[in-house]
Amino acid sequence: MNTVYSTIKGLGFYVPDNIVTNDDLTQYMDTSDAWIQERTGIKQRRYFTYGKDTNASMATAASRMALDRAGLEASAVDLIVYATITPDYYFPGSAFLMQRELGLDGIGVIDIRNQCSGFVYALSIADQFIKTGMYKTILVVGSEIQSSLLNKSNEGRGVAVIFGDGAGAAVLQATTDPEHRVLSTHLHADGRYAEELYIRDPGSSRDGQWLTDATIAEGNYNVTMNGNAVFKHAVVRFMEVINESLAANGFQPEDLSLLVPHQANIRISGYVQQQMNLPDEKVFNNIQQYGNTTAASIPIALTEAFEQGRIKPGDLVCLAAFGSGFTWASALIKW
């Protein structure tokens, strides 16, 4: 019996039409294009258009592109694994809404909340289902609408300037070809640092209602981030999990064709690139155009890298992420 693996057959992404430049943000807060670019590398980001874009509609658009590029109809999909921390509803998850938009009634859907590592976690879950033979074609999605959650004031500018909206998707399919497949995935987390980057409310473990005038006044529905702690952990964990994936498959950093890191901050990507001695052509960054789109950042970047000819058959591609939780993960792929 042939061993079954998983391979990426198609990629797609969607970003809203609404481009928000660094200069645009100066109407809300005391900042500047130079200040934002120096600290994050970001020049602009996309914000959703109310009444047009939803988390699920963006994911649907990205998925349709991925399916089209894979040469598949939506009816071929056996399972959806959907990563987001900004669902359209508190429940049910946005995977149900995307399933409805694609007309895939009856197939299983899985919503996961692993923040910036969400897409890699979702890819790992899909990879396991395919390798066991349970499913043959799986949609792996990352989608976020974060602009509606941001505190766009001087108080919140350290976070607000970073994040944007968008969605990315990949079609994962069964293959018996050992030369073109997901080689391995590696998942980690450390909940000791959960409050270093989080949104406290609304939460269920409250005295009384989830949201009251008092909790709204406290501003706990905004993102709270200890930037220094996140940076210090991120640069260590990124390199650890990249090297873990390489070592597990008998490779060295110089064997990499392309590293596609989560687009968190250009300084983090630059530090990791320098420490791993990787040339510019082996690292893909597009945070400049889209900001940090959390679970959507890797599939958006992966799709653009493929479109630009940065990924070719036979290439060794590493996906790596770090985010709130703390969570970090990697996937090594032979394209």
Side-chain angles (χ1 to χ4, degrees):
M1 180 180 294
N2 291 326
T3 302
V4 177
Y5 309 102
S6 65
T7 188
I8 294 177
K9 296 293 289 185
L11 294 165
F13 79 107
Y14 173 91
V15 289
D17 296 330
N18 185 19
I19 298 173
V20 179
T21 67
N22 293 341
D23 287 334
D24 290 333
L25 294 179
T26 62
Q27 64 184 300
Y28 306 111
M29 62 193 79
D30 181 15
T31 189
S32 69
D33 176 63
W35 187 88
I36 296 171
Q37 286 203 51
E38 179 184 351
R39 286 160 178 77
T40 68
I42 300 167
K43 298 178 181 179
Q44 62 184 43
R45 72 286 294 144
R46 304 293 182 103
Y47 284 179
F48 87 113
T49 299
Y50 179 73
K52 176 186 177 183
D53 300 312
T54 68
N55 188 302
S57 75
M58 296 195 309
T60 301
S63 296
R64 290 193 190 281
M65 179 186 289
L67 286 164
D68 182 63
R69 290 176 170 178
L72 297 170
E73 298 294 330
S75 57
V77 176
D78 302 315
L79 179 73
I80 296 169
V81 188
Y82 194 118
T84 187
I85 56 169
T86 56
D88 294 299
Y89 307 141
Y90 193 86
F91 68 84
S94 289
F96 294 87
L97 309 183
M98 190 186 87
Q99 181 213 45
R100 181 173 65 190
E101 289 198 35
L102 288 173
L104 296 177
D105 300 347
I107 71 165
V109 301
I110 300 174
D111 280 274
I112 65 170
R113 294 171 58 101
N114 284 85
Q115 299 71 250
C116 298
S117 298
F119 182 80
V120 181
Y121 265 73
L123 183 73
S124 180
I125 292 168
D127 180 48
Q128 309 313 310
F129 273 120
I130 287 175
K131 288 193 295 190
T132 63
M134 186 168 182
Y135 298 115
K136 293 183 179 179
T137 304
I138 301 177
L139 262 178
V140 184
V141 181
S143 183
E144 305 287 4
I145 289 180
Q146 301 175 120
S147 57
S148 55
L149 301 174
L150 301 174
N151 178 2
K152 302 181 189 76
S153 70
N154 287 340
E155 181 186 24
R157 67 178 177 178
V159 172
V161 301
I162 297 172
F163 293 96
D165 306 337
V171 176
L172 211 64
Q173 199 165 50
T175 181
T176 56
D177 182 359
E179 298 301 319
H180 306 282
R181 63 184 177 95
V182 175
L183 297 176
S184 63
T185 57
H186 307 269
L187 312 179
H188 299 279
D190 192 338
R192 292 177 298 171
Y193 303 98
E195 287 76 26
E196 300 290 8
L197 175 53
Y198 81 128
I199 295 178
R200 187 176 187 274
D201 288 315
S204 60
S205 54
R206 301 291 180 268
D207 183 13
Q209 296 178 320
W210 291 0
L211 277 180
T212 63
D213 290 341
T215 58
I216 291 172
E218 290 170 0
N220 289 331
Y221 54 87
N222 291 314
V223 179
T224 298
M225 179 173 69
N226 181 343
N228 288 334
V230 172
F231 184 92
K232 289 177 181 178
H233 284 266
V235 293
V236 172
R237 298 306 192 185
F238 259 112
M239 287 186 291
E240 282 183 357
V241 82
I242 294 166
N243 285 322
E244 179 183 5
S245 68
L246 291 170
N249 295 281
F251 293 111
Q252 299 295 324
E254 56 266 26
D255 296 319
L256 271 179
S257 303
L258 191 69
L259 170 65
V260 182
H262 161 57
Q263 304 296 295
N265 186 308
I266 201 69
R267 293 191 301 155
I268 293 174
S269 296
Y271 182 86
V272 172
Q273 177 181 347
Q274 181 184 43
Q275 292 299 305
M276 298 193 70
N277 198 29
L278 296 173
D280 289 345
E281 61 268 20
K282 288 194 173 187
V283 182
F284 189 85
N285 290 298
N286 63 357
I287 191 172
Q288 300 91 334
Q289 284 73 47
Y290 304 119
N292 180 343
T293 54
T294 307
S297 83
I298 283 180
I300 291 174
L302 189 61
T303 303
E304 285 208 325
F306 183 79
E307 290 175 343
Q308 294 173 22
R310 299 280 297 273
I311 302 174
K312 299 175 293 296
D315 280 355
L316 188 66
V317 179
C318 183
L319 314 179
F322 176 89
S324 166
F326 285 149
T327 175
W328 59 103
S330 66
L332 195 65
I333 303 165
K334 193 67 178 298
W335 211 263

